[in-house]
Every structure is written in structure tokens, then in C-alpha cells.
Amino acid sequence: MASHSTDRVLRGHPRFDNALANALRALAMDAVQAANSGHPGAPMGMAEMAVALWHRHLKHNPADPHWPDRDRFVLSNGHASMLLYALLHLSGYALPIEELRRFRQLHSLTPGHPEVGVTPGVETTTGPLGQGLANAVGMALAEKRLGEHFNRPGHAIVEHHTYVFVGDGCLMEGVSHEACSLAGVLGLSRLIVLYDDNGISIDGPVAGWFGDDTAARFRAYGWNVPPPVDGHDIDAVAAAIAQAKEGAQAQANAGPTLIACRTTIGRGSPARAGTAKAHGEPLGAAEVAATRAAIGWPHAPFEIPADIAARWDARGCGSARQARWNEKLAAYRRAFPELAAEFERRVAGKLPASFADDVAALLAQSAASGEAMATRKASQKVLAALAPQLPALLGGSADLTGSNLTDFPGCAGRHVHYGVREFGMAAVMNGVALHGGLIPYGGTFLTFSDYSRNAIRMAALMKQRVVHVFTHDSIGLGEDGPTHQAVEHAASLRLIPGLEVWRPCDFTETAVAWSEALAAADRPSALLLSRQNVPQQPRGAAQVAAIRRGGYVLADRPAAQAVLLATGSEAPLAVEAQRLLDAEGLPVRVVSLPSSTVFDRQDAAWRNAVLPPALPRFGIEAGVSRWWGQYGCVAALGVDRFGESAPGPELYRHFGLTAEALAALVRAHLRRGAALGAVASPAHADPAASAAPAAAAAGALS
């Protein structure tokens, strides 16, 4: 179909161009009206922008939404979801009209905001404004890095663009500054952003609170910013896109492009166009009818004339494009068979065949080492061992590389200096993961996970393999004081559904945490790592294997009278407390819980074997102690206030996080139970059961 040519921009037939746009308007207002919920204004205002991009430029194949060299399209202003759903339906994706009728209904393929993995053709989950734009920066970064690695003269198999629709809200969010500033420095020339400049948000005209000179802002980032265009002039928008593509072709490291499209929100609606009321509520039956008359659309709700449907259908040209790319890939495979095999493995999201053996060798190395080290240093050693065999790893740090230790020998070209941009880094990493072919990880201090929390949540919602390296995980970091000392952060991150949280106690647990994070293709992981040195714990082979289950017996005693549960740098304190209690004739079991999120998914038999229901339990972690109630702990040591500025060891003593204090706590409870004629039972027999007892820094939990 000539109208889908990627080689040149053809002027369309005005009558059909208007009809193509009005089909989008009609579907958007009909679906929102049927749901009695949604945002009709933005889809109606961006309809011509969508025609210019999707009908004249976008390289995609509705029959294969996962074609590796497709262009990526991100609707950052995700409240305009009906625009995307209409485009996907009309272009020929597996999104039947019945699903548009079920917009925003339970289990439909058309949720209120676009969700990757739910609707065919949706590239990322958007809704929290600004993050879609940051995801797109990550996609463009992935395209650039993969192209640099795989493309050869005459054999370009990674050569696509990333397009984004954004609104005022996306540009107001601070994450847009973080991501777009970085995109300019990185020279992501194949990133093209179309700004729906309609001047309206939910609260009304934005001039009263958004007076930025947006063009000047983006030019300062190093972006290409052409003069604004009429967003309702399809030819003008299409020409601006073509110019941006030509610039990217001419200069690979030129900056991204921002095209400001002046539009009217709710265009076509006689009473609502240009108003805030068009933004976030249905037009109403009367106004829908008036709009139909105004735009000359006499068709019934959800009805698309056959000639318009045929012009929108992109399946034929999409399949032809992909067939041509398949021929290029076949030629590449003949010329560079090893590179081609690596490319196909990586875009499939598979780890190298040697990965299990590489991890086994690393674990053997860690077991043989008796060296005490910080788990952040152990993490760096893991990267140094595994990264050469994992070319898909793309690391980075938010200006803390020397502290997070996210670099490794030979990491040049595989390590991103994200700058002081924690939120932007997390959202960009989501985009890298969504693009495919790379496994992103990035580091900062654990306390700054609050900056990036919503992007971490989005990674979990989208089930993306993203690894967050959070170092300086407790009061153990010392003199920097309470602003930098994580207290509530570990417990808080564990509340995010689908996020794997690891707090390893030594080199071996750190190696397992990394291997599990890299193998978890359908979930993000957070590694919480210490600044201070911790001793390497002795283990047998069965114990090493058990680490993968999130919780296991680290040190046992016959006829144990209690269980000590610990995570991270506090596990050695529990082992030392066990020795102190041994001297008093009070045998206890020490359980290391490097990942409660993994342990909680184990079967009841494993959980009960690790935590016998009949034994009282005592927890210790350098964080809020209330968290231990879910494991039925009768008492716990923790930190239930903000920290202090002092050397780490001094702070541990100040807050009572010592082996002596833990032993005293256990001794007092066991003797009190004996005096009462019975040993106190845990609050809950099942360690995965929920409880909500009050907690004190060194007090009883029940």
C-alpha cells in the first residue's frame, strides 16, 4: 500500500485523510461514551497526528507485534488510550471491535490505560505521566546500542525509530527533564517525540501553571526542535516527521527531535472542543450526536465504512516489510553466523547456554573464599565474573559508580553514566528492557529508591527483567547520617507485588541473588547491598542450593529451642548470638532470609521445615522491626526511628543491634516461658501468614 511508504511522504487525498482521522475520533468518543468513563479529548485532538505517523511513517506489522526491527510507538499520555486502541484495531492487530466496545471493562483487552502484555501492539504500560517518554528514551538507547553491536556495513538489521506522543502533563513531570536531558547527551537521533500542544489539562488552561518555553528547554538539551506545526494538518506533521528521520539518517549521533503540534483538545465537538471538560469525562449522548453531525460522520457507533477500514489496514504492507527484513536477516546470518545466533538469542530474551555453568563456577569460587567483604563489593565481583559471558548486560549508576560498584573490567560501552537522575534511570531501564535484546541494571543508594519507586512499581506491573542495585542499605553506611541511612526502605520495597527483593549476607548469597535476578525473565529485582564488610559464612552444597528458595537454615543445632531469623549484614550477628547461647546451653537455629519475597512463594512443607511451627522466632534486621510480625516472631531487633551520624559499628551498638543484645532477648523470652511452664508459641504457625502486631526496636512483637 503506497500510503504506508517509509521511503517518501505522499500527500494523501484530503477527503480520505479527514475520514481516517474522523474514524479515530468516532471510535474514541463511542468507546468512552459506552464505558461512561475515560478521556475523549486527547484522542480527538491527536487524530491527525496519528494519521500522519501511523498511516505514512510507522514501520510495523500487525500480524507480528514482536518483530524485532519494528518502530516503537509510545503513547506517553496514556489517558488517551482510546486513540491507541483505535489505531491498533484499524491497523489490523488482534484487537476486534468487541474489545473496543468493552473499553475499561473487567478482563477486556482495552483497559483504562495501555498495558503491555494485555493489548497486542502496546509497547509499554503508560498512565503515570512522563514515564512513557522516559521509557521511549530507553527504547531508543537500546536500539542505538544494539545497532552499534550488531550492524555491519551493508548489513543493518537494527534500524528502526522510536516515536512518542506526549502531552503537557508528561512535560511537567520532573522525570521528563531527567530522561530528555540524558537523551540529548546520548545523541539518540532515532527518537522522535510529537508534543500534543493543546494548552489544556484537567484543571483547565495550563498557561497559569505551565509557562515553560518548551522549545528552548529542549534545544538546551541538545534536541532538534523545528518550528511548531498545525497538529491538524496531516501533511505538515508528516513532513516534519520525514525531516526528523532524514536528519537521523544523515547524522547518527544527532539529538532526538521534538515536534510541537498545535492542536485543539476534543476537536470536532461543538460544545467541548478546547475545554477542560473534554479532557476526562464522556461527551454525553447529545454531544456525541452533535459531534457526528459536525464532522460529517453519519455512521452508527463503532461502525467503520469498508473503504476507510481498507485504507487503515496495515497488514499487507507490514508483512511485506517484515519479509524484506527477514531476507536481510538471512543474508546477515550467512555472513555473520555467530553474531546472528547471538542476536536471535538475545531478542528472544534467553541467557547463554553456559549461564548455569558460569554461576556454578562462581559459587564454587565464593565458597572457597573466606574473605570478608561488603556485599556491594561482592556484587562487583559477580559482575566481573558473569558479564563477559553476558553481552546483553547494560549497566549504569546514578552518579555513584564508585560507591555502587556497578562497573566491571571491560565495561566500556556497556555502562551508562545516568547522572543524578534516579527516577529517570529507573524509567529508562524499563524502556531498555521493554525493547528487548538487553538486560538493564542500575545502581544508587537504597534510600534513594524512593525517588525511583514508581518506575520500580511499573517494572513489576509490566513484568520486566530490570535489576536495581541498591547499596548502602542501612545505618551501617555510617557518617552520612539519617538522610542517607535506609530504615523503612527494605520493608517498603517488599510490599510491591512482583518485585523480587534480595538482601544477601555475603559473597555466596550475593552471587545467588544476581543469578536469580538475571534468570527472572518476568520480574524485576532489587539487590540491597551493604557498605560495610561482612564475613563469608560456611555452607554445605545443600545449603548453597537452598539459597535460591529465599530462606534456609544457615546454622542449626540439635534440639533447637528457638529460631533466629536474619537478613543481610545482620545474619552474622545471629550466628554470633547462636554461639553465645551455645555457651549457656540454649541451642537455637539460625535462618538466613536473603529474599522474603522468594521464600513466601515456597510450598508450606519447605517453609515449615525452615521455620518449625512449634519453635518461637526472633528477628533481626537493620530496619523497621514491625515487618517481622508476618513470620510470627515473638520479638525482634530493628531500627524504628531515623538514624544518626556516626561510624557504622558505633551506630549498631547505639541502636542495640548486637549479638549480645539478640542473645539477651532470646534468653529473656525462653526463661520467661520456662517460668510460666511453657515455651511461648509463635503468633502464626505458617511463616507466610499475615500478622500486624506492634513492634519495638528491641521488644516483643506479640
Side-chain angles (χ1 to χ4, degrees):
M1 298 172 63
S3 59
H4 290 274
S5 173
T6 57
D7 301 321
R8 59 196 177 100
V9 178
L10 301 178
R11 290 188 177 274
H13 190 290
R15 181 173 70 84
F16 277 112
D17 277 352
N18 290 336
L20 294 175
N22 285 336
L24 298 173
R25 284 193 178 90
L27 288 175
M29 66 181 181
D30 288 345
V32 171
Q33 191 62 34
N36 196 29
S37 173
H39 301 75
M44 296 172 71
M46 291 191 290
E48 284 83 10
M49 293 166 56
V51 173
L53 174 60
W54 279 65
H55 199 252
R56 301 199 192 174
H57 286 286
L58 194 70
K59 180 177 72 171
H60 65 128
N61 181 10
D64 184 3
H66 303 292
W67 169 27
D69 202 41
R70 70 192 181 279
D71 288 340
R72 269 55 169 186
F73 173 75
V74 173
L75 183 71
S76 188
N77 45 348
H79 55 270
S81 58
M82 262 313 305
L83 176 68
L84 180 52
Y85 298 149
L87 286 164
L88 293 171
H89 166 71
L90 291 170
S91 295
Y93 286 80
L95 189 66
I97 195 68
E98 291 76 21
E99 292 297 333
L100 275 63
R101 294 179 185 273
R102 298 180 61 229
F103 177 54
R104 291 190 162 215
Q105 305 308 301
L106 184 64
H107 302 318
S108 76
L109 298 183
T110 49
H113 291 82
E115 295 184 33
V116 68
V118 173
T119 312
V122 170
E123 299 284 4
T124 181
T125 299
T126 54
L129 293 177
Q131 286 195 63
L133 175 55
N135 294 165
V137 171
M139 294 175 186
L141 172 60
E143 189 274 342
K144 183 179 179 71
R145 293 298 171 91
L146 289 170
E148 291 169 348
H149 183 81
F150 287 106
N151 289 346
R152 295 293 184 271
H155 294 275
I157 59 169
V158 182
E159 197 174 34
H160 52 266
H161 293 81
T162 301
Y163 297 101
V164 196
F165 280 6
V166 304
D168 292 305
C170 295
L171 300 185
M172 285 187 242
E173 288 286 357
V175 70
S176 71
H177 163 68
E178 296 184 29
C180 293
S181 173
L182 179 66
V185 174
L186 295 176
L188 303 180
S189 60
R190 289 179 172 272
L191 172 62
I192 301 174
V193 178
L194 283 77
Y195 166 31
D196 178 30
D197 186 7
N198 62 42
I200 295 290
S201 69
I202 287 179
D203 281 355
V206 301
W209 52 84
F210 186 49
D212 300 16
D213 186 337
T214 298
R217 169 188 163 190
F218 276 78
R219 288 193 188 101
Y221 291 151
W223 286 50
N224 169 46
V225 185
V229 300
D230 178 353
H232 301 300
D233 184 336
I234 295 172
D235 290 335
V237 176
I241 296 171
Q243 185 179 36
K245 291 167 65 177
E246 290 168 4
Q249 188 70 26
Q251 188 175 354
N253 292 316
T257 296
L258 176 76
I259 303 170
C261 302
R262 300 280 171 79
T263 66
T264 299
I265 193 170
R267 180 176 171 88
S269 169
R272 297 285 183 88
T275 72
K277 289 187 72 66
H279 189 291
E281 60 184 70
L283 298 181
E287 187 62 17
V288 168
T291 303
R292 273 186 153 71
I295 65 176
W297 190 263
H299 313 291
F302 299 101
E303 179 184 320
I304 304 296
D307 57 344
I308 300 303
R311 283 181 172 262
W312 262 121
D313 191 344
R315 287 173 292 188
C317 61
S319 294
R321 281 185 180 135
Q322 186 170 357
R324 291 194 294 272
W325 181 82
N326 287 340
E327 292 174 359
K328 292 172 63 175
L329 180 62
Y332 184 86
R333 194 182 292 117
R334 290 190 295 271
F336 310 101
E338 292 183 0
L339 273 177
E342 181 192 341
F343 174 78
E344 291 177 295
R345 176 185 60 75
R346 284 171 58 174
V347 297
K350 297 178 180 178
L351 297 175
S354 66
F355 180 72
D357 291 338
D358 295 335
V359 171
L362 178 62
L363 291 174
Q365 174 190 340
S366 72
S369 170
E371 181 184 358
M373 70 179 72
T375 52
R376 63 170 177 161
K377 183 62 178 178
S379 171
Q380 187 179 46
K381 285 182 173 291
V382 172
L383 285 170
L386 296 182
Q389 286 74 44
L390 279 172
L393 274 180
L394 180 67
S397 179
D399 202 49
L400 290 167
T401 304
S403 294
N404 302 147
L405 304 182
T406 52
D407 57 347
F408 54 89
C411 68
R414 298 176 59 190
H415 193 272
V416 181
H417 292 283
Y418 284 102
V420 188
R421 302 181 177 104
E422 294 88 358
F423 190 6
M425 176 179 70
V428 167
M429 288 197 298
N430 287 349
V432 171
L434 286 158
H435 181 280
L438 294 167
I439 301 173
Y441 71 90
T444 188
F445 288 0
L446 178 55
T447 189
F448 301 142
S449 65
D450 283 343
Y451 281 135
S452 50
R453 184 180 179 88
N454 198 264
I456 299 170
R457 180 181 188 270
M458 294 302 292
L461 178 62
M462 296 188 288
K463 301 180 180 179
Q464 294 301 304
R465 177 166 44 192
V466 177
V467 183
H468 291 273
V469 179
F470 292 126
T471 68
H472 297 62
D473 68 344
S474 71
I475 59 171
L477 73 86
E479 292 85 346
D480 277 347
T483 59
H484 286 51
Q485 291 168 3
V487 175
E488 76 279 19
H489 299 77
S492 177
L493 288 171
R494 290 167 181 142
L495 294 175
I496 298 177
L499 174 66
E500 218 76 289
V501 181
W502 290 87
R503 189 167 184 255
C505 78
D506 62 5
F507 187 176
T508 300
E509 286 192 358
T510 303
V512 171
W514 259 112
S515 68
E516 292 298 292
L518 293 171
D522 62 349
R523 63 181 63 222
S525 299
L527 311 185
L528 317 188
L529 308 174
S530 73
R531 177 181 185 268
Q532 71 274 31
N533 287 347
V534 289
Q536 175 71 16
Q537 299 296 323
R539 297 177 184 82
Q543 288 173 297
V544 173
I547 296 172
R548 289 184 169 84
R549 306 192 74 163
Y552 66 102
V553 179
L554 177 61
D556 208 1
R557 294 291 185 268
Q561 296 182 30
V563 178
L564 310 185
L565 290 88
T567 79
S569 52
E570 289 69 71
L573 298 179
V575 172
E576 179 58 27
Q578 182 189 54
R579 295 192 186 104
L580 295 175
L581 292 169
D582 283 344
E584 301 176 25
L586 292 177
V588 297
R589 167 181 287 189
V590 175
V591 167
S592 179
L593 199 67
S595 178
S596 64
T597 55
V598 174
F599 182 71
D600 291 349
R601 293 202 308 274
Q602 304 305 305
D603 56 46
W606 179 262
R607 297 196 306 265
N608 288 331
V610 173
L611 300 177
L615 296 182
R617 304 163 191 167
F618 300 83
I620 180 170
E621 182 174 64
V624 290
S625 58
R626 184 183 182 90
W627 175 78
W628 286 110
Q630 65 185 309
Y631 294 106
C633 290
V634 297
L637 296 180
V639 182
D640 292 310
R641 47 157 290 193
F642 294 120
E644 298 280 355
S645 295
E650 184 178 334
L651 289 176
Y652 268 74
R653 291 190 295 271
H654 174 73
F655 284 104
L657 290 174
T658 65
E660 292 79 9
L662 182 57
L665 187 65
V666 175
R667 184 189 311 117
H669 276 267
L670 292 183
R671 287 178 177 171
R672 185 177 66 184
L676 294 174
V679 174
S681 296
H684 293 271
D686 184 353
S690 176
L701 291 177
S702 60

mmCIF file of all heavy atoms in Angstrom, residues 16 33 324 353 540 672:
data_model
loop_
_atom_site.group_PDB
_atom_site.id
_atom_site.type_symbol
_atom_site.label_atom_id
_atom_site.label_comp_id
_atom_site.label_asym_id
_atom_site.label_seq_id
_atom_site.Cartn_x
_atom_site.Cartn_y
_atom_site.Cartn_z
ATOM 1 N N PHE A 16 -10.116 11.441 2.098
ATOM 2 C CA PHE A 16 -9.811 10.213 2.827
ATOM 3 C C PHE A 16 -9.000 10.500 4.083
ATOM 4 O O PHE A 16 -9.185 9.858 5.115
ATOM 5 C CB PHE A 16 -9.083 9.222 1.915
ATOM 6 C CG PHE A 16 -10.005 8.421 1.062
ATOM 7 C CD1 PHE A 16 -10.045 8.598 -0.310
ATOM 8 C CD2 PHE A 16 -10.866 7.489 1.629
ATOM 9 C CE1 PHE A 16 -10.915 7.861 -1.097
ATOM 10 C CE2 PHE A 16 -11.736 6.742 0.849
ATOM 11 C CZ PHE A 16 -11.765 6.935 -0.523
ATOM 12 N N GLN A 33 -18.007 6.870 25.664
ATOM 13 C CA GLN A 33 -19.428 7.019 25.987
ATOM 14 C C GLN A 33 -20.019 5.686 26.448
ATOM 15 O O GLN A 33 -20.791 5.638 27.417
ATOM 16 C CB GLN A 33 -20.186 7.540 24.764
ATOM 17 C CG GLN A 33 -21.607 7.975 25.051
ATOM 18 C CD GLN A 33 -21.677 9.123 26.029
ATOM 19 O OE1 GLN A 33 -20.803 9.984 26.042
ATOM 20 N NE2 GLN A 33 -22.693 9.127 26.878
ATOM 21 N N ARG A 324 10.896 -8.376 3.829
ATOM 22 C CA ARG A 324 12.158 -7.803 3.335
ATOM 23 C C ARG A 324 13.224 -7.834 4.423
ATOM 24 O O ARG A 324 14.398 -8.110 4.147
ATOM 25 C CB ARG A 324 11.929 -6.376 2.839
ATOM 26 C CG ARG A 324 11.096 -6.284 1.561
ATOM 27 C CD ARG A 324 11.181 -4.923 0.918
ATOM 28 N NE ARG A 324 10.572 -3.875 1.730
ATOM 29 C CZ ARG A 324 9.292 -3.530 1.675
ATOM 30 N NH1 ARG A 324 8.472 -4.166 0.840
ATOM 31 N NH2 ARG A 324 8.834 -2.560 2.422
ATOM 32 N N ALA A 353 23.832 -20.429 26.879
ATOM 33 C CA ALA A 353 23.767 -21.828 27.309
ATOM 34 C C ALA A 353 24.719 -22.111 28.453
ATOM 35 O O ALA A 353 24.494 -23.023 29.258
ATOM 36 C CB ALA A 353 24.072 -22.745 26.121
ATOM 37 N N GLY A 540 27.369 -25.986 53.358
ATOM 38 C CA GLY A 540 27.477 -27.179 52.547
ATOM 39 C C GLY A 540 26.784 -26.966 51.220
ATOM 40 O O GLY A 540 26.083 -25.965 51.006
ATOM 41 N N ARG A 672 11.471 -16.700 80.488
ATOM 42 C CA ARG A 672 10.141 -16.283 80.918
ATOM 43 C C ARG A 672 9.131 -17.370 80.587
ATOM 44 O O ARG A 672 8.252 -17.699 81.389
ATOM 45 C CB ARG A 672 9.743 -14.974 80.230
ATOM 46 C CG ARG A 672 8.387 -14.420 80.729
ATOM 47 C CD ARG A 672 8.071 -13.099 80.081
ATOM 48 N NE ARG A 672 7.849 -13.253 78.638
ATOM 49 C CZ ARG A 672 7.626 -12.238 77.814
ATOM 50 N NH1 ARG A 672 7.652 -10.997 78.277
ATOM 51 N NH2 ARG A 672 7.412 -12.462 76.535
#
